Amino acid sequence: MSIPVTTVQSDSRPGAFAISSQPATALHRATPATLAAVLEQLPSAQARWARAAGFDAQPGRILLLPGMQAEVQREGQSEGAALAGVLVGVDPDQPLWQLAGLPAALPPGTYTLTDADEAQRPHLLLGWALGALPSTRQARQSDAATAPSLALSLARLVASPDEQAAVAPMAAAIGEVRRLVNLPANQLGPEQLAQAVADLAARHGARYRQWVGDELPAAGFALVHAVGRAAQTAAQAPRVAELTWGDAALPHVVLIGKGVCFDSGGLDLKPAAGMRWMKKDMGGAAHALALADLLMQAGLPIHLKLLVPAVENAVGAGALRPGDIIEAGDGRRVEIENTDAEGRLLLADALHHAIRSAPTPPALLIDLATLTGAARTALGPDLPALFSNHDGWAEALLAQGRAQADPLWRLPLWAPYRRLLRSDQADLLNAASTPQGGAITAALFLESFVPPELPWLHLDLFAWNLEERPGRPRGGEAQGLRALYALLSQHFASARSAFA
């Protein structure tokens, strides 16, 4: 079965999609439960081929269906080019990833979905686009000259111009998160990360400013300065980058991304295995940048502030020490229990600054961070932990996670554990001395910097794929991004929040 199509370019990767005007090969999705019904709809010769080949529609299985000779001659194709269709085994519970392996696995050409599942179609198209993104190796090795040849080696899927326009920004945002997280620390230090915020501001006509090095304590960022002051070069100097966009009369939304460009653990030094991938400890900042970009592209009627505290948690003569007491931006004194609990110190100062400098009380505060190993122990690598002081916002985000196939799991802000952050020498500890409940105590530390009347969402995420899977190369990964964007775009589509 074929229909006419015309190839166009997509921002996810040139040639990932096509629209109608030349022959396209049919894609037939099937599960073990639906396979018999799907085969009934095929020409008898194709159905016999599938049965003879033992195709069982297990997820990830692909079977190419050869065209009949008469059809080949009628369409003027060479015999080697005859492909009548493709059977694809899919997992019905994972619509986003059903097609993600196909752009690289199928023969080059143009394909069309035979089933019109309108509810799943946006997920299917985004999954295809993500499968068409360069792999980690290709992204590192490709340039503008080689990108077209990479695109020509991929299959293309028929999608309308409107569908492509809807998919492209999110696919590009996910690709940018991956790219930033995958960069080594010698190529993405605090200076370069702050420059990424400046470049984003310039693209959208937003206002940008930063505080660097010894400017930080006087500006209310003494915790940020303390974490990053041991870095040895000017490019590694700690800094806070701020982007402000939109009319100050609109609802004020704050995004904060943890930007630890490399985390050695400080004087509480990580072991080698724990330090190996700590270039990714700026994954929260990468997410915040990508989300801010999406919101500004959409022209959402909000007043947006993006804050990225960017540091390297290094070992040096000026390194933060266990037992040091630092005055936070809100005036409270924080005793350092562990120098490897540094990310929450950055977020604390950023939260205080965002609230103090807001033109109106924020309608929503969001922070994103690769914060604790405890969250990964509890939930594994694929499921970000969500903490919130507001049930309405939390439940709405969880619902969007389910709707967008971008799941999160809410963990409690268990108030009795606040006792674990008590200090004999200061107002609070930066970490509990006990290893239990580490994600909760980290979130409780941050919650103490947020007035209870201000809604706040805290995402503790991994930002990394440990293994290669279709559409998900090993390395940096976006988590919670689609759910957050859907939440914000729905609730701030007008200038009034549903939770006001």
Side-chain angles (χ1 to χ4, degrees):
M1 177 186 293
S2 64
I3 64 169
V5 299
T6 293
T7 300
V8 298
Q9 288 193 347
S10 162
D11 287 346
S12 62
R13 188 121 174 244
F17 291 107
I19 58 174
S20 309
S21 97
Q22 62 182 303
T25 302
L27 292 178
H28 308 282
R29 294 185 300 148
T31 69
T34 65
L35 178 59
V38 172
L39 294 181
E40 285 294 323
Q41 302 300 314
L42 295 179
S44 58
Q46 293 179 22
R48 286 197 303 272
W49 176 275
R51 294 187 183 100
F55 181 76
D56 59 6
Q58 290 297 319
R61 299 280 175 85
I62 300 171
L63 180 67
L64 304 183
L65 301 173
M68 300 298 100
Q69 183 63 29
E71 182 181 348
V72 172
Q73 293 174 345
R74 183 171 63 251
E75 296 190 4
Q77 297 173 314
S78 66
E79 189 169 345
L83 180 60
V86 180
L87 280 168
V88 182
V90 300
D91 181 347
D93 297 324
Q94 297 285 330
L96 181 65
W97 307 115
Q98 288 182 8
L99 308 183
L102 299 185
L106 292 176
T110 303
Y111 297 83
T112 184
L113 282 168
T114 56
D115 55 329
D117 189 329
E118 294 305 317
Q120 289 192 349
R121 190 168 172 84
H123 295 315
L124 297 170
L125 296 181
L126 179 58
W128 181 281
L130 295 178
L133 288 172
S135 68
T136 303
R137 183 181 298 274
Q138 289 171 330
R140 185 174 66 249
Q141 295 177 343
S142 67
D143 55 29
T146 61
S149 64
L150 288 172
L152 291 174
S153 68
L154 292 171
R156 302 178 302 275
L157 183 67
V158 173
S160 73
D162 286 346
E163 288 175 326
Q164 295 184 45
V167 165
M170 183 57 72
I174 292 169
E176 181 64 2
V177 171
R178 293 174 176 177
R179 185 188 73 83
L180 287 170
V181 174
N182 285 331
L183 285 171
N186 65 321
Q187 295 179 20
L188 186 72
E191 182 178 54
Q192 292 92 341
L193 185 55
Q195 186 60 49
V197 180
D199 292 344
L200 181 64
R203 287 203 302 275
H204 291 285
R207 296 177 294 284
Y208 174 80
R209 63 174 174 169
Q210 66 172 354
W211 299 264
V212 181
D214 291 340
E215 300 171 356
L216 289 165
F221 300 110
L223 295 176
V224 177
H225 181 260
V227 171
R229 68 192 179 200
Q232 299 298 309
T233 69
Q236 294 171 310
R239 62 200 69 213
V240 174
E242 178 187 77
L243 175 154
T244 308
W245 174 87
D247 187 340
L250 293 171
H252 186 56
V253 175
V254 174
L255 304 179
I256 299 170
K258 173 188 169 185
V260 178
C261 297
F262 191 82
D263 183 16
S264 70
L267 292 179
D268 286 310
L269 197 67
K270 292 179 183 289
M275 200 188 302
R276 174 62 180 90
W277 298 108
M278 282 300 100
K279 67 177 186 178
K280 79 176 187 67
D281 211 19
M282 40 58 64
H287 282 74
L289 277 158
L291 181 55
D293 193 9
L294 287 167
L295 297 174
M296 290 187 288
Q297 283 186 64
L300 208 64
I302 58 174
H303 182 250
L304 177 66
K305 186 180 292 294
L306 167 66
L307 284 164
V308 173
V311 305
E312 179 169 337
N313 188 18
V315 176
L320 186 64
R321 295 169 291 254
D324 281 356
I325 295 177
I326 311 296
E327 186 174 305
D330 69 353
R332 288 184 298 161
R333 298 160 71 245
V334 178
E335 183 179 4
I336 305 305
E337 175 71 22
N338 191 305
T339 65
D340 197 21
E342 85 296 334
R344 66 201 69 183
L345 300 175
L346 309 187
L347 299 176
D349 269 354
L351 284 165
H352 173 71
H353 170 81
I355 295 165
R356 174 174 56 87
S357 63
T360 59
L364 182 61
L365 294 152
I366 301 171
D367 74 68
L368 302 110
T370 50
L371 202 64
T372 68
R376 306 285 63 80
T377 299
L379 300 176
D382 296 344
L383 196 56
L386 168 66
F387 295 87
S388 180
N389 63 356
H390 194 290
D391 290 341
W393 279 106
E395 291 304 319
L397 180 57
L398 293 172
Q400 287 295 347
R402 293 187 291 271
Q404 303 302 322
D406 193 17
L408 306 102
W409 197 266
R410 191 179 184 187
L411 294 181
L413 289 164
W414 186 246
Y417 288 170
R418 290 175 184 152
R419 71 182 187 276
L420 302 177
L421 297 175
R422 292 174 187 157
S423 167
D424 295 332
Q425 306 295 322
D427 295 299
L428 72 167
L429 296 169
N430 77 318
S433 58
T434 175
Q436 288 86 14
I440 296 174
T441 54
L444 288 170
F445 177 86
L446 294 175
E447 185 196 27
S448 74
F449 289 86
V450 179
E453 69 274 11
L454 297 181
W456 164 67
L457 300 171
H458 163 56
L459 275 66
D460 188 339
L461 39 84
F462 192 48
W464 194 259
N465 288 320
L466 290 170
E467 58 187 325
E468 190 97 11
R469 291 172 290 173
R472 291 156 286 181
R474 188 172 188 267
E477 186 57 280
Q479 298 178 322
L481 180 66
R482 301 189 306 279
L484 282 168
Y485 177 66
L487 174 73
L488 296 175
S489 59
Q490 283 194 19
H491 285 288
F492 294 107
S494 67
R496 206 162 53 104
S497 166
F499 301 125

